[in-house]
Amino acid sequence: MNRSHPLITALAMCTMGFLYLPLLAVAVFSVNATKYGLVWRGFTLNWYVKLFSNELILNAAWNTLVLAVISTIIATILGTILAIGMDRFPWSGGTNTTLDLILHLPVVIPDIILAASLVIAFGLLRLVFSIFEPGLINMIIGHITFQVAFVALVVRSRLVSLGSDVEEAARDLFASTPYLLWRVTLPLLLPGIVAGGMLAFTLSLDDFVISFFTAGPDSVTLPLYIFAAVRRGVTPQIHALSTLVLLITIVMVVGTERLTRRSAKK
Amino acid sequence: MSDEKKDLSIRGINKRFGEVRAVDDVSLEVPAGEFFTLLGPSGCGKTTLLRIIAGLEMPDSGKILLGSEDITTFPATRRQVNTVFQSYALFPHLTVYENVAFGLRSRKFPAKEIDQRVSRRLEILGLEEMGQRRPDQLSGGQKQRVALARALVNEPDVLLLDEPMSALDAKLRAQVQVELRRLQQKLGGTFILVTHDQDEALIVSDRIAVMRDGRVMQAGTPEEVYDLPETQFVAEFLGAANLLSGHIKEGGIETDIGFLKLEKMPAWSKGTVAIRPEWIRIRDQQPETNGIQARIREVIYRGTDFDLWLDPGPIRVRTNTYKRFKTGDKIWLELAPEELVVLNG
Amino acid sequence: MDKLLVWYGELTTNRRLLKRGLMFLSPGMLWLLIFLVLPGLMLIAASFAGRGAYGELEWHFTFENYKRLAGFGIFGWTADYLMIVWRSVWVAFITTIVSVVLSYPLCFFIAGRSERTRYLWLTLVIIPFWTNMVIRAYAWFLILAPELPVAKLAAFLGIVPPGSALYPSVFAVYLGMVSMFLPFVTLPLYSSVERIDWALVEAAQDLYASKVRVFMQAILPQTLPGLSVGVILTFVPAMGMFVVPDLLGGAKYMLVGNLIQQQFGSSRDWAFGAAISIGLMILTMFSLYLYRRKSKGVNLV
């Protein structure tokens, strides 16, 4: 059904332009030969090459990756178990509502509130446990806290759509609990778990606020690095870094889309 | 299908969901090798009863016996009972072959035997070519056969079928009903079918139990429940019925359309008798007994026969005579005493 | 004796099921209790605490922080903080409205594409949604830089002096906010637009001559579920946004987010920061409450 009015098409194009023009500008100036100003001086990949010799940036990239990987693994495990716990047991209506509310909290409250409460909580915990100094551990905890909710919601919706039929059929066909889990439940749940995990990973890479509030001097991530850098002034190197981050995002998004679409079809 | 013939005995089963009595004191005996059907409208408890037999639901009270063994508190995994689910519930991530092999693999049968048994079932059901496909690559009819093969490969004492035809179109359904009946006769096992389709029940079953509101209203062979319905509900649920109410007068019943002689006198003084439309005979002159004169209000052509809607009425007559009937014609009807069925309550 | 029941085909008892259920729930729920609910309670407690010499919390009960937020300071009453709060609500409101207005044509455009290209367009909307907001915010630096046409045009029209950038400014904040939150409206709205029953719209076209009425009577009601999710997903985080005003507004256009960040950063007054956070939380809860009924049954993720 190709039925868009020309005016709608024009407006839609303008809006897409509005979304992409700034990002395009970043990509364009990331290959501009001049170091200062925004006048086109020819094509270069120099800034990309320099990225890989910049100790600070490499360090930030490493921190970002470590943060995302560790928090995603933990959050995916916790979220999956939580989703099973919520969906596969006959909780009363009241219990369900409470669990649901807690689960939706990280989704709906502004991240700055979660960040502020974590700063205060870590501040108090620090009085007892020394590991709660601002730094990577705190950031990981912060990220897991909002990731768990998203993973659990994704996995739970997959569980709900699976229904009880298939598991009942497996029992009817003499499957013991381990056999059922291994041969039926987990394989069927896997697309949901992977989608939840990828969502968690993307959320971690994308996060700025939680990291900004909980980071220490040695745990600068790429978004934090870019933020600090652009406040001092934009450079082609930052454009190159941002373009790379953008490319990674595109790969992640397309990958997740493919995966969820395929599993939704089944 | 196992060597020993195991009769299924359902004794005083009760199951409530909240305030709803899904199954209300149901007792049934299903001898080994019988094709038994639970027939009733949706919500009558037939599926719940089936799930109780499968071990997917625990009854509040009552017993299920298979052979001499009380299996009431057996988990589904310990019952020699397998189910064809309404949705088929095939494992979407496994091939047809692996779906069928599932019940054998989970009991750790030797590989050779699994292959033998799976191949044989696939062959019987015409699925040899489909072994490596996945369920989403199958048609509705093929899925249904995979579900059948997956259950039958375990050679259950009782095979349960929960509305297995509901996802098929009408033409395919008619064909599968006959096939299912033949399959059961060939394999000789006990089949219990749940359906809301009376034609299906009449075609496939050795015996039928008509259910309503969690209770068994009447159980018997298709002929018994069709020819001798005990209640208005059964009379109307299985096919069409003319219901005539009135009160008892010497040797018969005085109804709105006149006095009708009865063969057997009912226990009540006021009540209802029923007669199926195809049992009413059309006469040119007034018959000796139970003759009613009527005017044709409407003629409905049904392919092989006609339905005549008559005044006084509404009385419906089904006839396959070649004689042309026109609206407004006056005819004589004979409601023979032996065709009038006395209903209880 | 514990009553037997069958759950997902497994024969078990209520007590066994409960025990196992708790086992599954507890790791995730404990995590959320310790690192989400408990910190939330601490935040509330901290908002009633005092400020120590180095900005740390001093545990004596006081309403001081809330009084300050309401404008009662050492130098008498000022509306400064309330202005910032009000401005945040206002910015969030305008951002939401503009995002909604821009989203409708975009959604109709995408819904009008063929099955294949539709997903391509949708992915194009999702990509900025997932791109880091720091990058998306600072990207506007380039567009608004003095060397580029936009700023030159503004200078030509005499809006800004020649050779100056269009940021930091209020205008830049709005640009940044809308570009940041537009996909938050478009994506949920699209899920409703995709499901519009066009037969209803055609019936309405027969009934009403005016296009405005067709939209109001036949299209808008059908898109309400997606729209209300989009509005919530935009309005709530927009109120707490601090990256955009920080980068594009500078000192010129401070919002609640910046104020909170300031208390935990340079000003180092955690108790006051906690009080502002609670204020923002109350605003959030209030707006969620207003929309709760309409978005029922609509998935937030």
Side-chain angles (χ1 to χ4, degrees):
Chain A
M1 51 158 211
N2 268 303
R3 56 161 110 203
S4 316
H5 192 276
L7 184 69
I8 286 184
T9 308
L11 280 171
M13 288 302 121
C14 287
T15 310
M16 289 307 282
F18 173 71
L19 281 178
Y20 274 93
L21 219 54
L23 296 175
L24 229 59
V26 171
V28 167
F29 287 108
S30 73
V31 290
N32 188 4
T34 179
K35 189 163 186 185
Y36 302 103
L38 294 173
V39 182
W40 184 255
R41 288 276 153 73
F43 180 87
T44 177
L45 285 177
N46 203 8
W47 310 118
Y48 286 90
V49 177
K50 281 199 174 163
L51 280 185
F52 292 97
S53 54
N54 185 329
E55 201 62 32
L56 284 173
I57 288 178
L58 289 178
N59 197 29
W62 176 247
N63 281 338
T64 311
L65 196 67
V66 168
L67 171 62
V69 168
I70 295 181
S71 62
T72 299
I73 290 172
I74 299 176
T76 306
I77 295 170
L78 284 176
T80 301
I81 298 173
L82 183 60
I84 295 174
M86 287 180 74
D87 186 66
R88 284 299 194 256
F89 297 93
W91 304 116
S92 70
T95 316
N96 255 327
T97 316
T98 315
L99 296 175
D100 220 47
L101 187 79
I102 296 177
L103 202 60
H104 275 96
L105 272 179
V107 183
V108 293
I109 60 170
D111 44 10
I112 199 164
I113 296 180
L114 176 59
S117 62
L118 282 174
V119 170
I120 288 180
F122 289 145
L124 293 175
L125 284 169
R126 207 174 300 145
L127 302 175
V128 192
F129 310 101
S130 56
I131 57 159
F132 290 105
E133 281 301 319
L136 210 51
I137 289 180
N138 285 9
M139 294 165 87
I140 290 171
I141 292 174
H143 280 210
I144 292 171
T145 306
F146 64 82
Q147 285 170 318
V148 163
F150 282 93
V151 174
L153 286 171
V154 171
V155 175
R156 191 173 61 160
S157 77
R158 174 88 191 160
L159 274 168
V160 170
S161 72
L162 277 184
S164 60
D165 269 16
V166 180
E167 286 182 34
E168 286 185 346
R171 293 289 186 186
D172 189 59
L173 296 165
F174 318 106
S176 63
T177 303
Y179 192 75
L180 169 81
L181 280 176
W182 182 244
R183 192 97 167 111
V184 178
T185 313
L186 275 180
L188 287 179
L189 214 49
L190 199 63
I193 297 174
V194 174
M198 285 180 89
L199 177 66
F201 193 77
T202 320
L203 280 167
S204 172
L205 289 185
D206 195 42
D207 170 70
F208 170 76
V209 176
I210 308 281
S211 302
F212 186 72
F213 274 68
T214 50
D218 300 325
S219 60
V220 172
T221 60
L222 286 177
L224 296 182
Y225 179 83
I226 296 171
F227 182 76
V230 297
R231 293 187 88 193
R232 290 193 299 267
V234 293
T235 64
Q237 210 178 353
I238 293 299
H239 300 332
L241 180 59
S242 301
T243 309
L244 276 184
V245 173
L246 179 63
L247 287 176
I248 293 168
T249 310
I250 292 174
V251 171
M252 293 287 304
V253 168
V254 174
T256 314
E257 280 296 290
R258 280 269 161 87
L259 200 78
T260 46
R261 190 139 292 138
R262 190 158 7 109
S263 64
K265 256 193 219 155
K266 274 187 184 170
Chain B
M1 288 183 248
S2 31
D3 305 332
E4 183 202 351
K5 293 279 175 204
K6 288 181 180 168
D7 300 341
L8 180 72
S9 176
I10 298 163
R11 299 189 183 163
I13 291 290
N14 278 290
K15 179 71 182 176
R16 275 164 174 271
F17 293 115
E19 286 303 298
V20 183
R21 286 173 179 273
V23 179
D24 191 358
D25 193 25
V26 168
S27 296
L28 289 167
E29 298 292 330
V30 183
E34 187 169 79
F35 201 131
F36 191 85
T37 296
L38 297 168
L39 173 68
S42 62
C44 73
K46 56 192 192 301
T47 295
T48 307
L49 183 59
L50 194 80
R51 287 170 59 82
I52 289 172
I53 301 169
L56 300 173
E57 213 75 73
M58 188 51 52
D60 298 333
S61 62
K63 274 194 164 89
I64 307 274
L65 273 78
L66 188 56
S68 53
E69 203 168 21
D70 182 352
I71 60 165
T72 317
T73 56
F74 280 19
T77 44
R78 264 186 71 196
R79 299 185 186 203
Q80 291 298 325
V81 172
N82 291 105
T83 310
V84 174
F85 290 80
Q86 185 172 9
S87 65
Y88 308 141
L90 300 179
F91 305 116
H93 60 299
L94 299 178
T95 60
V96 167
Y97 184 95
E98 283 303 320
N99 261 284
V100 177
F102 191 93
L104 304 174
R105 287 213 198 287
S106 58
R107 282 179 297 171
K108 302 194 170 63
F109 273 60
K112 212 174 133 198
E113 192 181 347
I114 290 177
D115 193 56
Q116 263 174 13
R117 283 170 77 159
V118 171
S119 303
R120 201 166 72 226
R121 292 301 146 184
L122 290 177
E123 200 188 303
I124 290 176
L125 288 154
L127 293 164
E128 310 96 306
E129 310 293 318
M130 304 289 160
Q132 291 315 307
R133 296 217 189 160
R134 283 179 196 278
D136 57 357
Q137 300 166 309
L138 301 178
S139 70
Q142 288 166 340
K143 279 184 198 167
Q144 193 230 26
R145 276 182 283 153
V146 175
L148 258 173
R150 187 178 71 171
L152 285 172
V153 79
N154 303 294
E155 305 188 346
D157 293 324
V158 179
L159 178 74
L160 306 175
L161 302 119
D162 187 4
E163 307 244 10
M165 324 272 185
S166 60
L168 308 179
D169 61 54
K171 210 173 160 190
L172 185 58
R173 200 181 308 164
Q175 181 195 333
V176 172
Q177 282 161 2
V178 178
E179 281 174 13
L180 192 62
R181 174 73 188 159
R182 287 193 192 131
L183 185 70
Q184 189 263 343
Q185 280 170 343
K186 184 168 153 195
L187 299 174
T190 310
F191 280 31
I192 297 182
L193 171 76
V194 155
T195 184
H196 63 272
D197 180 340
Q198 29 118 357
D199 290 333
E200 187 170 303
L202 294 173
I203 291 168
V204 301
S205 316
D206 291 320
R207 279 199 310 139
I208 297 172
V210 184
M211 288 185 71
R212 181 200 196 181
D213 298 335
R215 294 174 156 274
V216 173
M217 304 297 286
Q218 190 175 349
T221 63
E223 292 80 6
E224 280 166 0
V225 284
Y226 188 79
D227 293 349
L228 294 169
E230 286 168 3
T231 59
Q232 187 176 331
F233 175 79
V234 174
E236 289 190 299
F237 196 78
L238 280 133
N242 292 296
L243 300 171
L244 302 161
S245 303
H247 56 264
I248 293 305
K249 240 163 90 176
E250 62 277 359
I253 179 169
E254 184 70 47
T255 70
D256 296 341
I257 59 166
F259 176 78
L260 297 171
K261 224 177 120 198
L262 294 176
E263 202 171 44
K264 199 181 98 208
M265 290 309 286
W268 38 260
S269 63
K270 265 184 82 171
T272 308
V273 296
I275 183 164
R276 300 225 175 260
E278 67 272 24
W279 296 346
I280 299 179
R281 271 162 264 172
I282 299 170
R283 298 279 182 237
D284 298 327
Q285 293 129 27
Q286 177 164 19
E288 260 173 55
T289 49
N290 290 0
I292 302 284
Q293 195 172 31
R295 222 185 99 256
I296 299 174
R297 185 149 48 99
E298 205 180 353
V299 181
I300 291 169
Y301 179 60
R302 288 169 41 96
T304 52
D305 48 22
F306 300 90
D307 266 7
L308 307 178
W309 289 87
L310 306 169
D311 284 325
I315 294 182
R316 177 156 41 148
V317 176
R318 189 166 294 169
T319 172
N320 58 4
T321 173
Y322 293 110
K323 189 175 166 189
R324 283 275 165 207
F325 293 102
K326 286 198 311 292
T327 308
D329 283 1
K330 286 207 165 155
I331 51 170
W332 279 98
L333 306 176
E334 182 182 2
L335 284 65
E338 65 271 22
E339 308 282 23
L340 286 165
V341 181
V342 174
L343 304 179
N344 312 321
Chain C
M1 202 193 90
D2 207 6
K3 228 180 94 187
L4 285 171
L5 68 99
V6 183
W7 188 252
Y8 282 80
E10 186 193 4
L11 185 72
T12 179
T13 66
N14 234 324
R15 197 183 312 156
R16 280 219 302 266
L17 208 53
L18 189 74
K19 226 177 179 174
R20 182 135 54 98
L22 282 177
M23 235 171 67
F24 272 87
L25 277 189
S26 46
M29 272 298 151
L30 268 179
W31 184 283
L32 288 177
L33 283 177
I34 294 174
F35 294 113
L36 182 75
V37 177
L38 197 66
L41 296 176
M42 288 180 184
L43 187 73
I44 295 173
S47 72
F48 293 104
R51 179 180 188 252
Y54 304 101
E56 76 277 19
L57 297 167
E58 233 176 48
W59 293 104
H60 55 86
F61 184 84
T62 169
F63 281 111
E64 201 51 47
N65 302 306
Y66 289 100
K67 274 193 201 154
R68 238 178 102 196
L69 186 61
F72 299 99
I74 327 160
F75 310 111
W77 188 77
T78 94
D80 285 358
Y81 292 135
L82 287 180
M83 266 310 291
I84 291 175
V85 172
W86 167 243
R87 196 188 286 152
S88 305
V89 175
W90 181 248
V91 168
F93 181 70
I94 296 294
T95 303
T96 309
I97 297 280
V98 177
S99 301
V100 168
V101 170
L102 290 179
S103 285
Y104 267 101
L106 189 55
C107 286
F108 282 113
F109 170 77
I110 297 175
R113 298 301 95 193
S114 68
E115 190 94 33
R116 273 185 166 186
T117 44
R118 209 184 296 167
Y119 289 119
L120 188 75
W121 284 105
L122 216 54
T123 311
L124 280 178
V125 180
I126 294 171
I127 286 167
F129 181 83
W130 283 120
T131 303
N132 195 284
M133 59 177 162
V134 176
I135 296 174
R136 284 200 289 149
Y138 104 79
W140 283 103
F141 286 12
L142 303 183
I143 302 291
L144 303 176
E147 298 96 319
L148 291 189
V150 185
K152 282 189 176 154
L153 179 72
F156 177 75
L157 293 173
I159 300 170
V160 292
S164 63
L166 291 180
Y167 70 91
S169 68
V170 179
F171 172 69
V173 171
Y174 279 106
L175 267 187
M177 290 294 272
V178 172
S179 71
M180 207 64 53
F181 287 106
L182 184 68
F184 284 66
V185 180
T186 309
L187 291 174
L189 182 63
Y190 176 76
S191 69
S192 283
V193 168
E194 200 184 23
R195 270 179 253 145
I196 285 185
D197 181 358
W198 288 102
L200 277 176
V201 179
E202 272 157 30
Q205 275 166 342
D206 290 342
L207 286 172
Y208 318 114
S210 121
K211 286 187 172 163
V212 178
R213 281 199 71 183
V214 171
F215 182 81
M216 296 304 281
Q217 307 265 353
I219 296 179
L220 187 71
Q222 295 196 60
T223 56
L224 269 185
L227 180 66
S228 50
V229 172
V231 165
I232 279 295
L233 285 183
T234 301
F235 189 77
V236 168
M239 281 194 302
M241 176 51 102
F242 98 95
V243 177
V244 171
D246 191 277
L247 290 177
L248 292 168
K252 287 185 181 167
Y253 212 64
M254 209 179 185
L255 300 183
V256 163
N258 308 73
L259 197 61
I260 295 174
Q261 191 270 322
Q262 217 176 52
Q263 308 315 313
F264 288 97
S266 53
S267 299
R268 207 170 158 79
D269 188 345
W270 289 13
F272 187 43
I276 309 167
S277 303
I278 297 299
L280 179 59
M281 190 71 206
I282 291 168
L283 280 176
T284 302
M285 288 299 164
F286 184 66
S287 29
L288 283 177
Y289 168 78
L290 284 182
Y291 272 91
R292 202 183 52 180
R293 265 163 291 151
K294 276 179 187 166
S295 58
K296 242 186 193 156
V298 187
N299 217 334
L300 274 172
V301 269

